Amino acid sequence: MRWDWSTVIEVFPLIFDAMWTTLGLTIACFSTAMIVGAIWTALKRIKFKPFNWFISFVLEFIRSTPPLVQLYFLFFAWPMIPYIGVTLDPFTVAVMGLGVHFSTYISEIYRSGIEGVPKGQLEAATALNFSTRQKWTKIILPQAIPPIIPMLGNYLIIMFKEIPLTIVVGVAGMLTVAEVYGVNNFEYLEPYTIVAFFFLAMSYPSSLLIQWLEKKMNRRFVNKPDKKGKGVTAT
Amino acid sequence: MTQPLIQYEDVHKSFDDVEVLKGINLEVDPGEKISLIGPSGSGKTTIIRMLMTLEKPTSGLIKVDGTPLWHKEVNGKLVEADEKHLRKVRGDIGMVFQHFNLFPHMTILKNCTSAPINVQGVDKKVAEERAVEMLEKVGLGNKLDAYPAQLSGGQQQRVAIARSVVMRPKVMLFDEVTSALDPETVGEVLEVIRDIAKEGEMAMILVTHEMEFARDIADRIVFLESGKIAEEGKPLDILENPNSERLKTFLQRFRSNF
């Protein structure tokens, strides 16, 4: 098999167009994961034990099942279940499947961010008589969110690289287009190489950006009080 | 007789199976300054943390201005208070912590204006004027735009005091506010507390290991020992003529340590 530049010229625009689908899917999946993740985190904070165990079980179940199996199930098996079965279009299945799968990881990130806020901060907020809502909006979240941004970024990249899985339900992403071209023309080398190149070209700069963000966030907290809230003296 | 500002009536507190407070009865008058002293583990901090609603008493009543703090009256019966009730009563109480607990993501000025604006509904301009005035009083008028991490421990603690005072509470609680500080900055913080105490309007309850300071500032010293008030009285009586053996030993240990 030889590398054929005319094939490249022919297939490149097709894959370039499909890139937008892949990117759009990534954004849709990640937004879903962030929202559903927040819901998990909120549900996990309910102190009623049996409920807490139930949520933990559901999360563990979703996390421990391969996303590929989940996609197959949502697309092929779910519509066949009586009463609750619904046939969904590929894009929706992809967003639901990958979005919910990754929401379980995102939820853990949120939790770590919230738990990273020292207890003394909440006590001070109580002493100043902030309402529960204000404690969240003014004290907890502004301190919990910045440190987790790099972690969220990492998961964005991981998720981006999992998007080709949606080929199994027929979303017309880059890999799908390459596959279709390959089958029709018996040319696989160029299309798949170009797909890999696109993923590399987007993932690598993103991970550099995240490294930069991480450094920035760390610097932001250089003199941060430790867990007990004891300040590091700057003088 | 004026009504006491704070009343503890037979207050008990247990953590798991350990009873740390075994029936506390204590009254604080408006404007009165009280020092709580005693060996560590005697329950001093727990007493004020319950008043700040950070710990819930196991039994007994705490009243602020005659209103039960942890209970509210429904049809003539006292039931457990909800957050709404706690918020209403808690508004009269302020607290300064051992580890300052300033909000690291806010400037010094914002640390001192956020609660007045958001909690008390004070106009932003008024809140800022008050905060600036107070910060100048504690000697930090030139640090308004700095972040807590840029200040020394002593400076942070002075901001924490200002942050609490601008809320104009009726009683301020000080929880070992100098024990996390470098020795050279302890003095500046005590000086600020002295100044505020001199103004007289606010009642204060200070948990402290600084005996000299406790004597200077307090109208009354309360000595705690294993979850009970073992002795209380005027500072000079307590420190110079302790009645009980336990207090004598405690004070001696203190003098030999320092």
Side-chain angles (χ1 to χ4, degrees), chain A residues 30 146-160 202-219:
Chain A
F30 200 69
I148 66 168
I149 288 174
M151 290 190 254
L152 289 176
N154 280 327
Y155 269 96
L156 177 63
I157 293 175
I158 292 172
M159 174 181 255
F160 174 61
M202 283 185 278
S203 295
Y204 186 61
S206 308
S207 75
L208 288 182
L209 179 74
I210 286 159
Q211 279 173 26
W212 175 79
L213 261 177
E214 206 161 358
K215 274 198 199 119
K216 205 173 136 89
M217 291 302 160
N218 284 342
R219 237 184 333 227

Side-chain angles (χ1 to χ4, degrees), chain A residues 124-141:
Chain A
T126 303
L128 291 167
N129 214 4
F130 281 106
S131 68
T132 308
R133 192 197 160 87
Q134 288 168 336
K135 277 180 199 165
W136 280 97
T137 58
K138 306 212 176 282
I139 310 300
I140 300 174
L141 294 180

Side-chain angles (χ1 to χ4, degrees), chain A residues 119-132 134-135 138-140 142-143 220-221 223-225 228-235, chain B residues 49 52-54 83 87 90-91 93 95 97 99-106 114-115 118-119 149-153 155-156 163 167 180 182:
Chain A
K119 199 165 145 254
Q121 290 291 309
L122 267 182
E123 295 189 342
T126 303
L128 291 167
N129 214 4
F130 281 106
S131 68
T132 308
Q134 288 168 336
K135 277 180 199 165
K138 306 212 176 282
I139 310 300
I140 300 174
Q143 293 184 64
R220 180 178 173 277
F221 285 103
N223 283 333
K224 192 180 166 239
K228 283 178 192 155
K230 187 187 172 189
V232 179
T233 49
T235 46
Chain B
R49 282 174 62 84
M52 194 65 263
T53 70
L54 299 173
E83 175 63 20
R87 261 199 105 195
R90 182 160 58 203
I93 307 160
M95 183 159 176
F97 298 86
H99 296 291
F100 338 132
N101 299 346
L102 291 181
F103 303 129
H105 58 298
M106 298 182 186
S114 181
N118 294 301
V119 176
Q150 294 166 291
L151 304 186
S152 71
Q155 289 172 325
Q156 289 193 51
R163 176 175 75 169
M167 296 290 280
D182 295 331

Side-chain angles (χ1 to χ4, degrees), chain A:
Chain A
M1 188 175 274
R2 279 186 23 247
W3 181 263
D4 185 352
W5 283 104
S6 65
T7 310
V8 172
I9 288 164
E10 197 179 303
V11 78
F12 191 92
L14 299 177
I15 292 175
F16 186 81
D17 283 345
M19 180 189 76
W20 300 111
T21 309
T22 300
L23 279 181
L25 197 55
T26 308
I27 290 165
C29 286
F30 200 69
S31 310
T32 308
M34 295 230 294
I35 293 164
V36 179
I39 295 171
W40 292 130
T41 309
L43 290 177
K44 279 276 272 183
R45 292 187 69 81
I46 295 172
K47 295 264 150 46
F48 183 57
K49 280 237 170 84
F51 183 76
N52 203 283
W53 289 329
F54 173 71
I55 297 295
S56 301
F57 171 77
V58 172
L59 288 174
E60 204 47 58
F61 180 80
I62 297 173
R63 238 193 315 252
S64 310
T65 325
L68 189 57
V69 175
Q70 289 168 357
L71 287 173
Y72 269 122
F73 182 88
L74 281 176
F75 196 63
F76 297 108
W78 195 22
M80 303 182 78
I81 300 173
Y83 305 115
I84 59 162
V86 187
T87 307
L88 299 165
D89 66 279
F91 197 86
T92 312
V93 166
V95 170
M96 272 179 68
L98 288 181
V100 172
H101 185 84
F102 276 88
S103 74
T104 60
Y105 294 97
I106 304 273
S107 159
E108 281 300 303
I109 296 177
Y110 290 155
R111 190 188 53 77
S112 76
I114 292 166
E115 282 176 5
V117 178
K119 199 165 145 254
Q121 290 291 309
L122 267 182
E123 295 189 342
T126 303
L128 291 167
N129 214 4
F130 281 106
S131 68
T132 308
R133 192 197 160 87
Q134 288 168 336
K135 277 180 199 165
W136 280 97
T137 58
K138 306 212 176 282
I139 310 300
I140 300 174
L141 294 180
Q143 293 184 64
I145 292 172
I148 66 168
I149 288 174
M151 290 190 254
L152 289 176
N154 280 327
Y155 269 96
L156 177 63
I157 293 175
I158 292 172
M159 174 181 255
F160 174 61
K161 290 187 296 176
E162 298 292 335
I163 292 292
L165 284 177
T166 59
I167 194 173
V168 298
V169 296
V171 176
M174 292 193 284
L175 187 66
T176 317
V177 169
E179 160 113 348
V180 170
Y181 184 89
V183 170
N184 290 338
N185 301 284
F186 305 105
E187 298 280 3
Y188 293 100
L189 178 64
E190 296 83 358
Y192 288 152
T193 308
I194 292 170
V195 170
F197 166 78
F198 268 110
F199 274 101
L200 177 74
M202 283 185 278
S203 295
Y204 186 61
S206 308
S207 75
L208 288 182
L209 179 74
I210 286 159
Q211 279 173 26
W212 175 79
L213 261 177
E214 206 161 358
K215 274 198 199 119
K216 205 173 136 89
M217 291 302 160
N218 284 342
R219 237 184 333 227
R220 180 178 173 277
F221 285 103
V222 160
N223 283 333
K224 192 180 166 239
D226 66 21
K227 283 264 154 134
K228 283 178 192 155
K230 187 187 172 189
V232 179
T233 49
T235 46

